[in-house]
Amino acid sequence: MRGILASSIGVTCAAALALPLAPPAAAAAARPAPTAEAATRAAVTAEPRVPGSTQSLPLRRLARERTSGAVLGLAPRAVRNFSLLGVVWDDPAAGLHGRVQVRTRSVATGAWSGWQDVETHNADHAADPGTAEDAPDRVHGATAPLWVGPSDAVEVRVRPESPQEDGPAGARTETAGDAPLPSGMRLELVDPGTAAPPPGGAADGSRTGATGAEATAASAANEGLAPLGATEIPALTREQTRQELLAPRGTGTAGQSGAAGQRAKPYVGPRPAIVTRRGWGADESLRERRFVYTGKVKAAFVHHTATGNNYTCAQAPSVIRGIYRYHVGSMGWRDIGYNFLVDKCGRIYEGRAGGVAKPVLGAHTLGFNSNSMGVAVIGSHGSKKPSSSAVKGIARLTAWKLGLHGMNPKGKTYLKSAGGNLYRKGKKVRLNVISGHRDGFNTACPGGKLYEKLGSARSTAARYQGR
């Protein structure tokens, strides 16, 4: 897999510098926007397939700017089209103590954006310490990814933290107190490509970038929930879900969700519609082939992706493909870290491969990935409230998935810490069954505005379960 990733990333600096900085031709005339539901459904079955790619550009030393304090970055330059970006560095244990800002040029308008901050505190979204996926020879330090939309030029500046500020406008001078920046810093520019063909479409591996065996395995993990190759797992009523849960082992999905005692639990929410990996266009050749599972899903940790809020619901599949490629190709993970994602329209997406009804081991809450699942709302919710549809999506998903394991969304549970900055390794911690990322790790995630909504999500999920 690493050979495939290397070929997709490659050395692209020379190619990037060779491209002109002239703005593109004017965009085509705007068309009436479809409804969010119609646009999203169209996006997850778009053709033809265009493979994604990643450009990796080393950051350069800059003459320190007095106003911004930047010492590292990239001057404005044209690049191949991309829609998502992030900064990575060599040592995953090295923190980036500083500020990363970018501005980009729109493909559609040729206009440059203003400066945007990239979330630098991202180490808390990771595999548990000491696991194979956390091996330092495979993973990199990284910022959170930022969705900027289709772009063809970029400028970057990185400012180290310093205890000294000079002047009311924040003008700075270089000091010995500046925090050192990690070595090997580079900008990753991700083109998410377009979705794979829908079932019955072209299956040429050279076009899709995913082998038939890997794509089939990812789809077969949801056997019993949807036909092979389905782009969506259909919703069920609460009674249909309960009957499916109580079905004899081997005749439904009950055997996928836990022990017989768990299958007999009556409190389970109606299964929501879930866009599959095929539906959002996952290139299955990127991830590691094997699926890794944990035990009973006792808790759901809610996150935000910190990718920004400047996306439409129709773009959500592209955002997910970008996050997936960044997690695997740039950060070195075995697959996308989250088990599920929810967009601002409340649509639910399958995350890490292995089956939506199964206890797939994720890489989302450092120290508490075992016996849990990670649900990420696409967006940044430190200061912006999540949509009511997104909060409802969290409630619908958790009412069903936690119900498969007999868990009460308004209840408490115990998880054993694998180590982190709040709880030592081996400590049993009492947590809400639906918790925010910050409950298991000292982090701002899932953003204060989303965290405030978790009480509502718990009550709604319990109601969906019939409690």
Side-chain angles (χ1 to χ4, degrees):
M1 180 184 78
R2 298 299 166 201
I4 295 172
L5 293 176
S7 66
S8 69
I9 298 174
V11 179
T12 60
C13 301
L17 289 168
L19 294 174
L21 271 171
R31 300 172 183 171
T35 64
E37 179 72 10
T40 306
R41 287 185 181 277
V44 300
T45 57
E47 288 190 277
R49 155 77 177 179
V50 178
S53 62
T54 301
Q55 304 168 71
S56 189
L57 307 177
L59 300 187
R60 307 293 187 187
R61 178 67 58 177
L62 301 175
R64 180 184 285 268
E65 300 177 8
R66 179 170 175 79
T67 54
S68 72
V71 299
L72 207 64
L74 289 174
R77 65 180 61 200
V79 293
R80 295 198 310 271
N81 287 8
F82 69 98
S83 295
L84 178 141
L85 58 79
V87 172
V88 301
W89 53 91
D90 296 337
D91 184 2
L96 199 173
H97 302 290
R99 186 178 188 183
V100 177
Q101 293 183 303
V102 298
R103 67 187 192 108
T104 57
R105 190 177 67 189
S106 168
V107 169
T109 67
W112 282 86
S113 71
W115 287 104
Q116 300 183 75
D117 284 292
V118 180
E119 175 57 62
T120 58
H121 300 291
N122 192 50
D124 46 306
H125 297 79
D128 286 341
T131 60
E133 191 171 5
D134 184 56
D137 59 347
R138 67 172 287 166
V139 296
H140 301 106
T143 68
L146 177 68
W147 175 261
V148 294
S151 305
D152 61 6
V154 66
E155 183 178 7
V156 186
R157 62 190 187 192
V158 181
R159 186 190 82 177
E161 285 182 356
S162 172
Q164 296 188 17
E165 298 290 335
D166 182 19
R172 305 173 65 255
T173 57
E174 188 167 0
T175 73
D178 283 347
L181 295 172
S183 62
M185 293 182 68
R186 52 198 181 275
L187 177 68
E188 302 284 285
L189 303 174
V190 179
D191 174 8
T194 57
D204 178 6
S206 64
R207 277 188 70 232
T208 66
T211 67
E214 290 162 339
T216 298
S219 184
N222 290 313
E223 182 181 5
L225 282 71
L228 192 67
T231 58
E232 183 178 85
I233 295 168
L236 297 179
T237 66
R238 185 174 156 210
E239 182 57 27
Q240 287 172 327
T241 303
R242 195 181 76 86
Q243 290 300 324
E244 184 179 66
L245 182 62
L246 296 176
R249 187 179 294 272
T251 64
T253 61
Q256 301 172 350
S257 60
Q262 295 167 1
R263 290 188 288 117
K265 295 292 183 182
Y267 296 112
V268 60
R271 187 180 75 200
I274 302 171
V275 177
T276 65
R277 290 172 64 90
R278 174 128 194 170
W280 55 259
D283 181 343
E284 299 294 354
S285 70
L286 295 180
R287 64 171 174 82
E288 287 190 355
R289 291 187 178 184
R290 69 190 183 98
F291 305 140
V292 180
Y293 298 98
T294 183
K296 176 181 178 179
V297 177
K298 299 170 64 178
F301 285 99
V302 177
H303 305 256
H304 66 169
T305 59
T307 46
N309 302 306
N310 295 324
Y311 74 95
T312 65
C313 293
Q315 291 175 319
S318 294
V319 178
I320 297 170
R321 289 196 302 274
I323 295 172
Y324 170 46
R325 184 172 287 271
Y326 185 74
H327 280 183
V328 178
S330 301
M331 297 180 65
W333 295 358
R334 59 183 308 276
D335 195 350
I336 191 171
Y338 308 114
N339 296 104
F340 297 93
L341 299 98
V342 180
D343 69 21
K344 63 177 67 176
C345 291
R347 198 153 173 79
I348 300 166
Y349 301 82
E350 177 182 15
R352 182 162 287 205
V356 298
K358 299 178 182 179
V360 177
L361 179 67
H364 48 83
T365 307
L366 192 152
F368 290 100
N369 291 304
S370 292
N371 297 324
S372 72
M373 69 176 191
V375 182
V377 175
I378 302 172
S380 299
H381 295 293
S383 59
K384 183 177 177 59
K385 292 181 180 180
S387 67
S388 58
S389 296
V391 177
K392 183 178 179 181
I394 294 170
R396 289 163 53 227
L397 172 62
T398 53
W400 170 69
K401 185 64 182 278
L402 292 172
L404 297 182
H405 295 267
M407 300 303 297
N408 182 349
K410 292 199 298 184
K412 304 280 188 178
T413 190
Y414 282 91
L415 294 178
K416 182 184 290 187
S417 171
N421 63 2
L422 277 183
Y423 303 105
R424 60 174 174 78
K425 183 177 180 179
K427 181 176 178 60
K428 290 184 178 180
V429 182
R430 189 170 185 257
L431 295 162
N432 288 310
V433 169
I434 297 179
S435 284
H437 186 180
R438 63 177 63 179
D439 294 321
F441 199 95
N442 185 15
T443 174
C445 184
K449 295 300 184 181
L450 177 53
Y451 190 78
E452 290 172 357
K453 297 295 184 181
L454 295 189
S456 174
R458 293 181 191 111
S459 298
T460 305
R463 187 170 69 252
Y464 287 149
Q465 286 189 348
R467 295 183 186 271

